[in-house]
Amino acid sequence: RIRAGILYSVQQAESDGSTIVDANILLDKAQELLQADEQLIFNIAAEMLKDDEIIGFRETVALATPQDYVNEQIIWGFIQNELS
């Protein structure tokens, strides 16, 4: 249930036009949705990161679904290529 709530929270942010979600905002939204212990949600989100169910961006606190992560990497690669 909590995994599904976390994924739902990411997907809701995506439906609002975001492909990357701030982890702190995501956890707050998931906690509000699930009415579950914040530490439990954090622990399950950490497991989801480890299992690649959600992907974290290096040097940020941003998260994305695996598909959006790939899309962002493609866009970033394109931008880097165009700027070089």
Side-chain angles (χ1 to χ4, degrees):
R1 174 179 163 254
I2 292 176
R3 282 180 187 263
I6 292 169
L7 282 176
Y8 177 80
S9 297
V10 172
Q11 291 164 347
Q12 283 299 109
E14 290 172 347
S15 71
D16 293 339
S18 299
T19 56
I20 301 172
V21 182
D22 180 280
N24 297 315
I25 293 171
L26 171 68
L27 293 174
D28 287 344
K29 288 183 183 268
Q31 200 279 327
E32 182 181 316
L33 172 72
L34 297 164
Q35 297 296 303
D37 179 68
E38 188 175 334
Q39 187 62 49
L40 178 61
I41 293 171
F42 178 85
N43 292 343
I44 291 176
E47 288 175 15
M48 292 173 75
L49 279 165
K50 185 178 145 222
D51 295 341
D52 293 331
E53 293 176 62
I54 53 178
I55 309 294
F57 286 82
R58 291 186 181 147
E59 302 170 6
T60 70
V61 292
L63 303 171
T65 62
Q67 184 59 52
D68 279 334
Y69 181 82
V70 168
N71 292 340
E72 289 293 330
Q73 294 299 330
I74 291 168
I75 292 167
W76 181 242
F78 175 79
I79 291 170
Q80 286 182 315
N81 188 40
E82 290 297 311
L83 294 176
S84 58

